[in-house]
Amino acid sequence: MGIKVSNKWILIVCGLSLALITLWFIVPYQDLPEQLINKANTDSLSLPDRIAAAKDATQMLKQKDSEAQLAQVDLLLGKLYVKSGQYHTSLQHLETVLAYAEKILDNGLLFEGYHQQGLCREYLGESSLALYSYTRAMKIAKAAGRLEWQSKAWEDIGLLSLSLRQFDRADSCFREALQIDQELKDSLAMANSLNNIGLIYQWQGNYLKATRYLNEAKELYTGRHDANMAITTLNLGIVQQRLADYHEAAELGMQAASLFESMQMEVELASAYNLLGTVYTQMELFGKAREYHKKALDIRTHLA
């Protein structure tokens, strides 16, 4: 016996099918900017892929006229371009972020924008402009009553002072940060501050005291596999190289290089390779030394 189906039911089923097909096309499109932003925030992807995803999200958000989301993506692009060493491009995006943040009086966006702007200017060798950006960030942190932001601003000013070999000022800044970190019981921030104090002694040639502070920082970072652990590990490697403990320096250099490579931190990776090249030269392993010095040079040439 055949089954008789009403034309009415055929039309309803067809209508439902078309609606589902339409939804299948529309829903992913509506969510696409958010999907692209998530992709841009995915650390395991390559920097070019993350930047491309953020730029695609920007184009879609411009069509939606979503100024708030656009500012967040511009901030993300600013950070990604800093990581890739494209500082002038980063500054362009950060100017857009700061203009929007000033307009809506968003302290969080202002603080992060000035922090990132200061980093760019510092990397470009524009010390006075970097200090201006960091000082602006500090004023915002104090006005907002955010101790954790103040700690970060002290750290920024301290690192800039250290780069200018203003050791007393750097020490004062790092200890201000450490005091806040202890008050907040923030072990990660405490480790950052201890690392930075160790850096002062490293730059002054007091390697034993530097080792003490850097080891304290590394202990607090135990179990982490992030930029902070990588940087402290690299600093310890440099100190051990200066103390002529070449095997320990090589091991620490390799650990740091592996972490930097996994996070695509190319500037820092070049520094780790340069340390390994120097250590292997001192160990008279000249083939390895050439290999790592070449790796460092290739990265710096690419970033130039």
Side-chain angles (χ1 to χ4, degrees):
M1 179 185 291
I3 299 174
K4 190 174 180 180
V5 180
S6 164
N7 287 339
K8 172 185 169 184
W9 288 110
I10 291 171
L11 288 170
I12 291 172
V13 170
C14 288
L16 283 170
S17 299
L18 286 170
L20 288 171
I21 290 168
T22 304
L23 282 171
W24 188 83
F25 281 107
I26 290 174
V27 172
Y29 178 79
Q30 289 174 333
D31 292 341
L32 197 51
E34 287 73 23
Q35 291 172 11
L36 289 166
I37 293 167
N38 288 338
K39 183 177 179 181
N41 275 306
T42 303
D43 291 336
S44 59
L45 295 177
S46 70
L47 275 174
D49 285 347
R50 294 175 68 186
I51 289 170
K55 288 170 73 175
D56 288 344
T58 297
Q59 293 306 313
M60 290 194 165
L61 290 170
K62 282 179 179 176
Q63 294 174 14
K64 293 172 69 173
D65 197 27
S66 179
E67 199 173 4
Q69 280 186 297
L70 271 170
Q72 292 295 337
V73 177
D74 272 315
L75 178 60
L76 176 56
L77 277 166
K79 293 178 179 180
L80 292 173
Y81 280 123
V82 168
K83 281 189 175 183
S84 66
Q86 300 178 64
Y87 305 124
H88 290 291
T89 307
S90 176
L91 284 171
Q92 292 171 9
H93 287 280
L94 294 172
E95 287 295 341
T96 304
V97 172
L98 288 168
Y100 175 73
E102 289 280 6
K103 185 171 76 173
I104 65 167
L105 301 177
D106 186 324
N107 283 329
L109 206 53
L110 280 169
F111 177 82
E112 189 61 28
Y114 279 118
H115 163 66
Q116 294 293 333
Q117 185 187 67
L119 289 178
C120 283
R121 288 170 165 175
E122 187 173 351
Y123 289 143
L124 288 168
E126 300 171 349
S127 300
S128 297
L129 291 173
L131 181 59
Y132 170 80
S133 297
Y134 293 149
T135 303
R136 289 283 296 166
M138 177 66 84
K139 286 180 180 176
I140 291 161
K142 287 183 175 179
R146 298 294 294 267
L147 288 175
E148 69 276 22
W149 295 357
Q150 291 176 44
S151 172
K152 185 64 185 171
W154 280 122
E155 179 185 26
D156 287 337
I157 297 168
L159 287 170
L160 176 62
S161 302
L162 180 59
S163 72
L164 298 172
R165 305 189 76 81
Q166 298 171 354
F167 298 125
D168 289 342
R169 184 182 189 185
D171 185 76
S172 175
C173 289
F174 295 149
R175 292 185 190 278
E176 287 277 2
L178 181 59
Q179 186 174 340
I180 292 172
D181 304 335
Q182 289 168 335
E183 183 179 341
L184 295 173
K185 296 181 171 59
D186 186 336
S187 60
L188 177 57
M190 285 168 59
N192 292 343
S193 296
L194 290 165
N195 171 79
N196 294 334
I197 294 169
L199 268 180
I200 296 175
Y201 291 115
Q202 177 182 325
W203 280 44
Q204 291 177 319
N206 190 339
Y207 301 122
L208 291 175
K209 209 160 187 178
T211 299
R212 177 191 137 200
Y213 279 97
L214 292 171
N215 273 325
E216 283 185 43
K218 196 168 188 289
E219 188 175 339
L220 286 170
Y221 288 136
T222 298
R224 301 183 66 90
H225 300 280
D226 58 10
N228 298 306
M229 173 61 104
I231 289 167
T232 296
T233 302
L234 175 61
N235 290 336
L236 263 173
I238 293 168
V239 168
Q240 297 314 303
Q241 180 260 326
R242 299 291 168 82
L243 289 169
D245 188 346
Y246 301 131
H247 289 285
E248 180 67 11
E251 184 178 337
L252 289 164
M254 290 298 292
Q255 289 174 17
S258 177
L259 288 167
F260 289 136
E261 188 173 15
S262 70
M263 292 177 285
Q264 302 171 63
M265 296 175 65
E266 293 186 285
V267 174
E268 293 82 3
L269 179 58
S271 297
Y273 285 153
N274 193 57
L275 168 64
L276 287 166
T278 301
V279 169
Y280 286 130
T281 297
Q282 291 167 320
M283 294 172 74
E284 298 185 359
L285 297 171
F286 299 117
K288 277 191 168 185
R290 280 193 296 272
E291 174 191 346
Y292 284 103
H293 279 310
K294 184 179 184 304
K295 284 184 175 184
L297 180 62
D298 288 346
I299 292 173
R300 285 172 177 150
T301 302
H302 163 69
L303 293 176

